[in-house]
Amino acid sequence: MGLVLLYVLWTLRALPSPSAGPAVFSNPGPTSLTAEMIPLVSGDEPIVEIFTKAGCPVCHTIPGIPGANGQVGPPLTLGVTGAQRLADPSYRGTAGTVHEYVVESVIDPSAFVVPGYPERTMPVWYGAKLSALALEKIADYLEHQTGNVLAK
Ligand code: HEC
């Protein structure tokens, strides 16, 4: 709860004031996604709906998920990148498998910040929005994606 509040406060702070000038600065961007905008995801939904309900496509390109071409975070091709993260000398998380790494990344995004991508951007409140089943299905899906998407 405290984290949610913190995130909302942070988001509000990040929003430009109405007098912020040119239109290009008045677009709050995808990082303005707040917990209030995301419904609870039970995990009984089809996999595409799990991702779209949760809003992941706003920031991520996800192979096989229509419309998931976000560029804020890394492409979710964990079948390739997962092993690289775990082998990264700066990895300090607790995951031992790619599956665990995906779960950790979703519920505790700051455990490892992917080099080249902004920290404190991935929402920190997914643990309160995704059921354990939804989280399992997300990890099952992503750990197998080697997809043909452009890596950054
Ligand atoms: C507001 C933008 C945003 C949303 C929404 C978002 N993410 Fe992220 N995500 C990021 C950013 C930025 C990073 C990279 C920085 C970091 O590691 O925290 C990231 C990192 C990740 C990683 C680690 C990827 C890697 O290559 O190691 C996974 C896995 C992930 N996100 C899954 C998800 C899932 C699943 C959802 C939806 C439930 C989601 N994200 C929603 C921005 C977002």
Side-chain angles (χ1 to χ4, degrees):
M1 200 56 213
L3 281 178
V4 172
L5 188 65
L6 267 179
Y7 183 77
V8 170
L9 286 174
W10 175 82
T11 309
L12 288 175
R13 200 179 49 97
L15 287 174
S17 69
S19 59
V24 65
F25 293 121
S26 68
N27 178 358
T31 54
S32 64
L33 195 72
T34 61
E36 288 71 24
M37 294 159 69
I38 303 298
L40 291 173
V41 181
S42 73
D44 293 324
E45 305 88 344
I47 189 72
V48 171
E49 204 181 317
I50 290 179
F51 283 113
T52 48
K53 255 179 124 176
C56 321
V58 172
C59 294
H60 290 286
T61 296
I62 311 174
I65 306 297
N69 49 19
Q71 303 288 321
V72 179
L76 297 184
T77 51
L78 279 298
V80 175
T81 52
Q84 297 168 3
R85 307 298 182 234
L86 294 174
D88 192 310
S90 63
Y91 178 69
R92 299 278 179 274
T94 59
T97 63
V98 173
H99 188 97
E100 288 168 7
Y101 173 72
V102 174
V103 173
E104 179 181 75
S105 298
V106 176
I107 60 179
D108 184 13
S110 60
F112 179 72
V113 177
V114 180
Y117 289 91
E119 58 184 335
R120 276 170 291 163
T121 300
M122 168 122 178
V124 294
W125 35 255
Y126 275 124
K129 292 291 181 179
L130 303 171
S131 72
L133 179 64
L135 209 46
E136 277 305 298
K137 287 190 176 174
I138 285 173
D140 280 346
Y141 184 86
L142 293 181
E143 70 179 322
H144 294 118
Q145 300 311 310
T146 54
N148 263 334
V149 292
L150 291 173
K152 184 174 168 184

